[in-house]
Amino acid sequence: MSNATNPADLGVREAATLLRSGALSAVELLDACEQRIAERNGGPPSFDGAPDSVNAWTQLYPELSREQARAADERLRRDGDEAPLLCGIPLALKDLYAVAGLPLTASSRVLDGHVPDEDSTAWARLREAGMVLLGHTHTHEFAAGGTTDQVGNPHALERSAGGSSGGSAAALAAGMVPAALGTDTAGSLRVPAALSGVSSIKPTHGRIPRDGIIPLSPSLDHPGPMARSLADCAVLLEALAAGGAEVSPLFPPPAPLTGLTASIPVTDRPLAGVRVALTDRPHVVGVEPDIADGLERAAQACVELGAEVVELPAAAEMVGEDYSIVLFSEVADYHRRFAGREADYRTSIREFVETSRLFTSLEAYLESRRTFAQLTATWEAWFAVNGVDVILEPSSPSIAPVRGGGYESGRLGGDGDPLIRLTAIWNATGFPVAAIPAETGKRSGLPVGLSLIAPRGEEARVVRIGTVLQEYALHPPEPVSPYADPTNRR
């Protein structure tokens, strides 16, 4: 538990406890979050975002939020402890998740005026659980990049919040909202979590249905929850998965989730019996000193908490050409509907879409999908043969880069983006990944992010180990004000 005195600083579980006890109302919690947005967003939502603003949001819905908060309070009064745990908790949706009757733009002028008729499945499940929608948050346009340059990092406004779920990460880091949803095609949950100092879960592919979510590459896209702690992410994931998994022709549906929100044992060695692997992947990729330090500290924490930490060579690496073939083939399939609207894309996204039109070979696409299936089998066998429970590795090779440039000519997303060199492989395999912040980098003073990876269907495993690390050693950072340091408002 934090020592929060402002309700906006509460985590999901803390707020839920107060809401159910009657010590806090959903309307009071909403008021605190809306006040925090007014204080820390840096002005109303804008398309481009000013250099001295966070600008996490594309749209805010104050009237709807108030209506939903009042309904949540009535539900809590009526149902008491029988109400869903998430009832009355404010939520941010990445601007890819459809809400019937509300704008949905993917942070692009291409979709100006687009208003869906139906809710996305993910939002429908959380709406039924009584969550309160604050608004939509910025994505790197059409989720096709890793920087979300219209959003400032609350830890340092001149730095990127990461992408493509940068708006959700920034809103969480600044304490504007306790819970958010993002998506991940190559690292777009894990990279912004790492750069902004928050937590996320990329579930097993198909765990959360993608219906009503604007796609980037459907066979690589993973919807997922974001929050300041991994345990809060797990509460969200449990509700998101409760209605069943997506039926996919690419992967068998993952087994039902069990034990996702189990309590953490109170003992000196809560990771006893756990085998954690460090591979040579970070060394091959090359990571900055603060990132290497964070990985070393986390590995040492695992040992101190009773885990066995082993160093093993990676089973296999993903071939970037295969990733590009799958990604761009699927991008082209979706974006053909916007033919004639090319001038409305930002420069790098227009080039990204134009590049996708070069990927027209069905044979190449199917061969790359077969390669991914073999890659998945190879890694699953590696886990089994070596008796490994999780891999521990950095989420990003670097701290948050300087903001800007992500939409300039020549900045294509996908293979070659340095921010996703460690993350994209786990989209190809569909493995679940829990992303948590390590301690702040000693040299940079900026967040460092770590990932815990396990085979398909093992969300509970990565959540349990990651939550132990957060509860005992790598404590989640408190929300930050982007304006606490005057140099942030140059």
Side-chain angles (χ1 to χ4, degrees), residues 47-48 96 105-111 139-150 163-164 188 214-216 327-328 331-332 334-336 338-339 341-358 405-414 417:
F47 184 76
D48 293 312
L96 301 176
T105 70
S107 295
S108 176
R109 289 195 170 96
V110 173
L111 287 177
T139 172
H140 196 103
E141 185 171 354
F142 278 108
T147 56
T148 324
D149 289 299
Q150 65 271 39
S164 62
S188 288
I214 293 173
L216 179 58
L327 172 70
F328 282 118
V331 167
Y334 176 75
H335 281 267
R336 71 179 66 185
F338 304 124
R341 299 290 304 277
E342 287 78 8
D344 292 330
Y345 292 104
R346 291 177 172 96
T347 301
S348 66
I349 309 304
R350 181 171 62 252
E351 294 173 349
F352 181 86
V353 172
E354 290 171 348
T355 298
S356 76
R357 293 171 182 156
L358 303 176
Y407 293 125
E408 294 176 356
S409 179
R411 292 290 294 270
L412 291 183
D417 183 341

Side-chain angles (χ1 to χ4, degrees), residues 86-105:
L86 291 172
C87 187
I89 301 295
L91 175 71
L93 289 176
K94 185 178 183 178
D95 192 18
L96 301 176
Y97 287 80
V99 178
L102 295 181
L104 188 68
T105 70

Side-chain angles (χ1 to χ4, degrees), residues 184-185 205 217-222 323 326-327 330 372 427-428:
D184 192 310
T185 308
H205 188 272
S217 176
S219 72
L220 301 170
D221 293 346
H222 295 61
Y323 183 85
V326 171
L327 172 70
E330 296 181 356
F372 281 0
N427 294 80

Side-chain angles (χ1 to χ4, degrees), residues 127-402:
R127 174 175 50 76
E128 288 300 315
M131 296 199 79
V132 175
L133 178 61
L134 284 181
H136 278 106
T137 51
H138 272 296
T139 172
H140 196 103
E141 185 171 354
F142 278 108
T147 56
T148 324
D149 289 299
Q150 65 271 39
V151 176
N153 191 321
H155 293 271
L157 288 173
E158 76 280 4
R159 298 277 176 165
S160 169
S164 62
S165 306
S168 290
L172 289 164
M176 300 185 208
V177 68
L181 297 190
T183 63
D184 192 310
T185 308
S188 288
L189 284 161
R190 295 157 286 161
V191 169
L195 272 51
S196 299
V198 299
S199 301
S200 70
I201 301 172
K202 182 188 81 65
T204 300
H205 188 272
R207 175 69 70 193
I208 303 171
R210 293 175 294 104
D211 301 312
I213 301 173
I214 293 173
L216 179 58
S217 176
S219 72
L220 301 170
D221 293 346
H222 295 61
M226 306 179 77
R228 287 187 285 274
S229 75
L230 193 60
D232 285 352
C233 290
V235 173
L236 290 163
L237 179 56
E238 192 169 61
L240 288 162
E246 178 179 344
V247 177
S248 168
L250 298 170
F251 294 107
L257 283 177
T258 57
L260 191 64
T261 55
S263 59
I264 300 302
V266 180
T267 171
D268 290 338
R269 293 172 57 82
L271 294 183
V274 172
R275 186 170 169 89
V276 177
L278 305 175
T279 76
D280 51 357
R281 296 184 71 237
H283 175 73
V284 171
V285 166
V287 299
E288 293 181 355
D290 274 349
I291 307 300
D293 289 349
L295 180 62
E296 182 179 353
R297 287 195 299 272
Q300 183 59 38
C302 288
V303 172
E304 292 169 358
L305 294 170
E308 178 189 7
V309 177
V310 297
E311 296 186 20
L312 296 168
E317 191 49 80
M318 180 184 69
V319 176
E321 182 181 1
D322 288 312
Y323 183 85
S324 293
I325 288 170
V326 171
L327 172 70
F328 282 118
S329 297
E330 296 181 356
V331 167
D333 179 61
Y334 176 75
H335 281 267
R336 71 179 66 185
R337 70 196 64 195
F338 304 124
R341 299 290 304 277
E342 287 78 8
D344 292 330
Y345 292 104
R346 291 177 172 96
T347 301
S348 66
I349 309 304
R350 181 171 62 252
E351 294 173 349
F352 181 86
V353 172
E354 290 171 348
T355 298
S356 76
R357 293 171 182 156
L358 303 176
F359 289 77
T360 58
S361 170
L362 177 60
E363 292 81 4
Y365 175 80
L366 293 175
E367 181 59 33
S368 292
R369 290 284 352 153
R370 283 190 286 269
T371 300
F372 281 0
Q374 182 58 54
L375 179 71
T376 302
T378 299
W379 272 103
E380 287 180 334
W382 181 92
F383 273 93
V385 168
N386 291 295
V388 169
D389 291 296
V390 296
I391 295 171
L392 173 66
E393 66 183 25
S395 298
S396 167
S398 65
I399 57 168
V402 173

